[in-house]
Amino acid sequence: MDKSTLAKKATLLHLNSLALADGMRNGSFRSLYKGRGIDFSGVREYMDGDDVRTIDWNVTARMCRPFVKQYDEERDLNVMVVIDASASMKSGSGRKSRLEIAAECASLLTLASFHNASPIGAVIYDGKIRFNCSPAPGHDQVMLLLSEFEKVEEYGSGGSSLESALLGCQRLLKKRTLIMVFSDFRTTSWGQAFGYLCQRNDVVAVKIADGMDEHLPEVGSIPFTDPETGIRMVLPTSSSKFRRKWREDNESRMVQWSHECRRRGGIPFVLNTNSDCLRELTRFFSTRDRQSI
């Protein structure tokens, strides 16, 4: 990518992230600006409707009228992105691969978090953890993450260690965090680690899907190779029975994945390789009914 193309890409990401930042700030996602913070800021006189549990009895006794404690609301949102950079993520029949979509979404979230003064961190993995850092605010953190996202195409060996990535992510977090996991979820044994992460965080499982996952082109018998195992076989795409079984198998796996996410306390979100990342992410953050995602 030459300097001119890189500059255009950076400008577009910046402009798009402003719109996403507004959606994150004003949307209805349940972890945004939630709850009362823990910092005590002072007292004021009791008013009808105040929670009696907030009464400051020492001040009330001195002043001979009720006073309640006040707290500063904790308004910063910690964000963490987890990117699957395994070999299967480099596939895709659209304009971009699954991995390119994941990296673009992660870049938009990073810049949007910067505009909202929200700390952000990341974990990148394939068969092992390639990069990880705890959420932190500031320009230097943003530049570090964007630089790492540009390098994800270099990875892709050793399978997919999603379970290790989720466990590692948990050790990096000090407070409740919004975690966006970008993966095709073509791996096993991730459910328990995902559930642990959901217990103290808001976790969104973003499944990067592709049109060929559901519909195969009718082009005769063609060779397919599994990018992670190297297994090669010839599939009869002209067979209507085979194409139907392919579609039904994908539908079954999608239902199982969605059920596992919800059962563990997470939020399933499907993103296609032909999707407009900005539009879909903005829609996600502004949607009230999470069950409809």
Side-chain angles (χ1 to χ4, degrees):
M1 186 180 297
D2 59 36
K3 290 184 178 180
S4 176
T5 303
L6 187 61
K8 290 179 180 178
K9 179 181 178 181
T11 300
L12 184 61
L13 273 174
H14 173 71
L15 293 175
N16 286 347
S17 67
L18 288 172
L20 178 58
D22 186 61
M24 292 174 69
R25 186 168 54 250
N26 299 319
S28 59
F29 191 79
R30 65 191 178 93
S31 71
L32 292 176
Y33 314 126
K34 66 181 291 183
R36 190 185 67 190
I38 60 173
D39 295 329
F40 174 73
S41 63
V43 297
R44 62 167 173 79
E45 286 196 51
Y46 177 86
M47 298 175 61
D48 288 342
D50 284 339
D51 189 339
V52 296
R53 292 172 296 181
T54 65
I55 292 178
D56 188 317
W57 295 106
N58 291 329
V59 177
T60 296
R62 289 200 308 270
M63 303 302 293
C64 297
R65 59 183 187 277
F67 278 77
V68 295
K69 297 176 182 178
Q70 286 187 297
Y71 297 85
D72 286 330
E73 188 180 13
E74 187 178 16
R75 297 189 64 82
D76 62 318
L77 169 70
N78 271 18
V79 180
M80 192 78 167
V81 293
V82 179
I83 299 180
D84 179 356
S86 60
S88 62
M89 286 288 286
K90 295 182 180 181
S91 65
S93 60
R95 295 179 297 105
K96 299 176 182 178
S97 69
R98 301 174 205 263
L99 186 54
E100 287 175 307
I101 292 292
E104 182 178 341
C105 288
S107 298
L108 284 169
L109 287 167
T110 297
L111 288 168
S113 296
F114 175 71
H115 295 313
N116 285 335
S118 296
I120 184 166
V123 174
I124 302 173
Y125 71 95
D126 51 14
K128 59 183 179 180
I129 307 301
R130 296 291 186 171
F131 172 82
N132 67 85
C133 69
S134 300
H139 180 269
D140 289 346
Q141 178 79 346
V142 169
M143 296 307 295
L144 170 65
L145 295 184
L146 293 180
S147 174
E148 291 296 327
F149 299 156
E150 282 292 318
K151 297 191 296 186
V152 293
E153 292 286 347
E154 300 174 8
Y155 307 135
S157 62
S160 176
S161 57
L162 176 56
E163 181 182 25
S164 297
L166 296 176
L167 293 173
C169 184
Q170 186 174 13
R171 290 191 287 269
L172 291 171
L173 303 176
K174 305 295 185 184
K175 57 178 287 187
R176 192 173 187 88
T177 299
L178 168 62
I179 304 169
M180 306 284 287
V181 183
F182 295 93
S183 174
D184 56 11
F185 290 88
R186 293 185 177 181
T187 185
T188 59
S189 305
W190 57 272
Q192 189 173 40
F194 184 82
Y196 288 150
L197 208 55
C198 291
Q199 289 176 6
R200 295 186 177 182
N201 303 280
D202 295 302
V203 187
V204 183
V206 186
K207 184 177 180 66
I208 312 296
D210 185 77
M212 283 188 64
D213 294 343
E214 185 174 1
H215 299 290
L216 281 177
E218 189 176 347
V219 290
S221 296
I222 56 176
F224 279 73
T225 303
D226 187 306
E228 293 182 7
T229 65
I231 296 175
R232 183 182 174 88
M233 60 180 64
V234 176
L235 302 181
T237 64
S238 294
S239 167
S240 58
K241 182 179 179 180
F242 176 80
R243 294 197 308 275
R244 184 180 71 254
K245 292 295 292 183
W246 178 278
R247 183 179 65 254
E248 290 173 350
D249 180 66
N250 178 69
E251 291 172 352
S252 175
R253 283 186 284 109
M254 289 288 282
V255 169
Q256 292 175 5
W257 165 78
S258 180
H259 174 74
E260 182 71 358
C261 289
R262 296 188 190 280
R263 186 173 74 88
R264 299 288 184 175
I267 301 170
F269 174 34
V270 179
L271 194 61
N272 197 276
T273 52
N274 282 319
S275 298
D276 181 315
C277 295
L278 173 63
R279 184 179 64 229
E280 294 302 315
L281 286 174
T282 302
R283 183 179 71 89
F284 173 78
F285 281 104
S286 62
T287 299
R288 290 189 175 277
D289 182 9
R290 304 257 61 91
Q291 301 299 317
S292 67
I293 294 297

